[in-house]
Amino acid sequence: MAYSATVGSVRHVFPDLKTVLARASPMRSGDVLAGVAAGSEQERVAAQLALADVALRDFLAADFVPYEDDEVTRLIIDTHDAEAFAPVSHMTVGELRDWLLSYDADGTAIAALSPGLTPEMAAAVSKLMRNRDLIQVARRIRVMTAFRSTLGGEGVMSTRLQPNHPTDDPRGVVASIIDGLMYGCGDAVIGINPATDSPVATIALLQMIDEIRETYEIPTQSCVLSHVTTSITCMERGAPMDLVFQSIAGTQAANAGFGITLDLLAQAQEAALSLKRGTVGDDVMYFETGQGAALSAGAHFGMDLQTVETRAYAVARAFKPLLVNTVVGFLGPEYLYDGKQIHRAGLEDHFCGKLLGLPMGCDVCYTNHAEADQDDMDTLLTSLGAAGCTFFITVPGSDDVMLGYQSASYHDALYVREVLGTRPAPEFEAWMQRMGMVGVDGRVRELPVAQHPVGALAELREHAA
Amino acid sequence: MSGAADDAGAGAGASAPASAASTEPTEPGLRVVDPWLELRRFTPARIGLGRAGDALATKDQLALRLAHAQARDAVHAALDVDAIRGALDGHEVLHVRSAAPDRATYLQRPDLGRVLAEGEAARLRSAAVPVEAKGGPAVGATSGFDLAFVLADGLSPVAVQEHAASVLRATVSALPGWSVAPVVVATQARVALGDPIGEAIGARFVVVLVGERPGLSAADSLGLYLTYEPRTGRRDSERNCISNVRPPVGLSYEAAGHKLATLLREGLRLGLTGVGLKDEGPSLGA
């Protein structure tokens, strides 16, 4: 079915819904690389005009990737909740935007609608929204998840403590963990990207973090971000695994590039649930996504970066994850060229994830060949804080020495706490209080490591070695 | 997500951070060693930085900016082709361009960095005189050359400027009897640009020496990619890679040249490169 809009004397015709979405997408390098971007600014707005008039019902019939060929499409269609969809079933995309911004659309109403929305509907409405819209609507949506800490509550913004090391040296990892804990980071997860994806390396790191966590009775969860098959092997060998991690994408073919299927994810989830390691909840999955993942695998099927990204959220929501984050600036300037594009994409991903019911976080990050710097990250982090982002990644001094990119720092966790008035997860906050880490003014105290309650962790380092 | 999706080589390494105060006062007249000093031995991460309120202290903030500036400058530097020509005294040097007209396009369109600009292939074919025309000896090639080197700016022209000529010399001296094509310097180039270049020249192997994506202070790391019978459409799984050539911290020129020569001899014996050719392959002797 073709769509069109007339701007001045020019009638812009788009052959199908997929093309309308791609042309309507705000400018980003990845869509140019894929050859799906609008050819001019006017064509982009023409596509947005056409998109605003598309009936939401059309999305249920549209063929983004054929149902027969793609298990992500089957998941989206087969789990679509017609009853939840009913209140908006008469609306166009433009009307959905207006409703989401209206005072009627409080958190409860949006949460009730969520199972009735497909990822492509979420992508569509976001393309009509400005950054302020993405922030304001996302802020209304609370997605609560729990394992040993409870995430997503009112005024809570959590952090992943990411203590990566170029060679997985346990002493170096411990040093970065101590540092992060001193800033009150890590209530979402203490999560390591391993340099070596092997069961032996993963188990060694898991045991090390688990010992620290038990010794100090820290109400958080640990994760080594190995491939899901490695995690399954580790669990079979009795490793103390809290969360199963996996990178996911929005088509079956792109997921095949990651070496995963929905069945494999279900198998891993079941194994992790059987360990019953959670204390306040049993959300055991941790997913990462990012605009460009499907295109880099050549498995985007003519969809724009952002639309196929939202389909990854359909995969995520099938597994009741504790955490999901977009690695927004990580994939490089061929997908998101500069600070403006990274900022926009970060807010889109957060909004669409929340709209689809996910505990959405963000790795506020960039690589050295992107036109971006720490100032851009400050702006994005502040925007995400205003939007009620579930969590963000923190590394020592913003410098990830293993993955070779820059993210937010431990210091930035203090910044959002002060500027936006956010707090860590309640169980973790109580732990910080017990440990004497919070001053009478409510701020995280600055203490020399030798006098710091978690400073004694340093003594573990030789043991860990 | 593991691994950045760029084929100009992954960055590596990081600097030791600017340190916080090395000692902490306890009692007047008595100072103890900062535990961070000891912890910092185990990681290059920027740990124990201390705070200016909720922020980095000025010196740490500027240290981070400087490291980023070095990485940015390394990405955006222009390769000085004449200087490379001078450093490769004795080798004929040809300069070709990819289809990416400028740095901004190159960074956004990796596909253009993998193909030659119009007319460049023909220019290479006429400029690189095949071996049999010279009557020179060849170890493996029945026509054309045994080996072609491509010096590709990649994501760090600085790395190529600093290290490529030395690696090339070390490799050539470890491969007596091999016929080596004129050296091709390629700008706005990705690794796979070596395929059409090697094909146009008529080389049995192409070795692409490429600037790797700069990390925060390893801005000059060179990667070496080796491909047997290069032609457009070769997959990454059909290449071998030696990364992080960056003396004195990374691999030395001699070690890189030796490793490369060993791989080349073994690749010649097996008639392939890529996953079927192991890094630890046996040396076939001089």
Side-chain angles (χ1 to χ4, degrees), chain A residues 163-165 168-178 192 205 208, chain B residues 43:
Chain A
N164 292 346
H165 187 279
D168 294 339
D169 182 336
R171 297 165 301 185
V173 172
V174 171
S176 290
I177 292 175
I178 297 168
I192 306 172
L205 290 169
M208 187 203 64
Chain B
T43 178

Side-chain angles (χ1 to χ4, degrees), chain B residues 237-253:
Chain B
S237 59
E238 295 176 287
R239 311 185 200 287
N240 292 84
C241 172
I242 298 168
S243 71
N244 198 25
V245 181
R246 185 173 68 97
V249 179
L251 206 58
S252 72
Y253 303 140

Side-chain angles (χ1 to χ4, degrees), chain B residues 6-189:
Chain B
D6 74 62
D7 61 356
S15 64
S19 65
S22 60
T23 58
E24 288 167 356
T26 49
E27 300 164 28
L30 181 69
R31 293 173 83 81
V32 296
V33 173
D34 178 359
W36 288 118
L37 277 184
E38 197 186 348
L39 291 173
R40 225 176 259 126
R41 289 195 292 128
F42 303 122
T43 178
R46 292 170 196 258
I47 56 170
L49 296 184
R51 294 160 50 178
D54 297 332
L56 291 172
T58 300
K59 67 177 168 46
D60 296 319
Q61 159 62 17
L62 291 178
L64 181 67
R65 274 204 183 153
L66 178 59
H68 185 232
Q70 286 165 337
R72 297 269 300 149
D73 283 349
V75 170
H76 290 276
L79 197 59
D80 184 342
V81 179
D82 287 336
I84 287 186
R85 215 182 285 276
L88 284 173
D89 194 26
H91 288 274
E92 188 184 345
V93 174
L94 307 170
H95 177 204
V96 299
R97 292 169 179 84
S98 80
D102 53 47
R103 206 64 181 158
T105 309
Y106 171 79
L107 290 171
Q108 293 174 82
R109 294 289 305 273
D111 53 328
L112 297 180
R114 297 184 192 118
V115 295
L116 287 165
E118 205 176 330
E120 297 287 62
R123 207 159 61 77
L124 278 176
R125 273 193 296 274
S126 60
V129 182
V131 165
E132 62 268 32
K134 289 181 180 171
V139 171
T142 51
S143 67
F145 302 92
D146 295 321
L147 177 60
F149 287 97
V150 176
L151 277 50
D153 53 359
L155 289 170
S156 176
V158 168
V160 178
Q161 206 83 52
E162 290 285 314
H163 308 304
S166 301
V167 172
L168 189 153
R169 276 196 298 268
T171 309
V172 169
S173 69
L175 290 169
W178 283 54
S179 64
V180 178
V183 176
V184 177
V185 175
T187 45
Q188 312 299 10

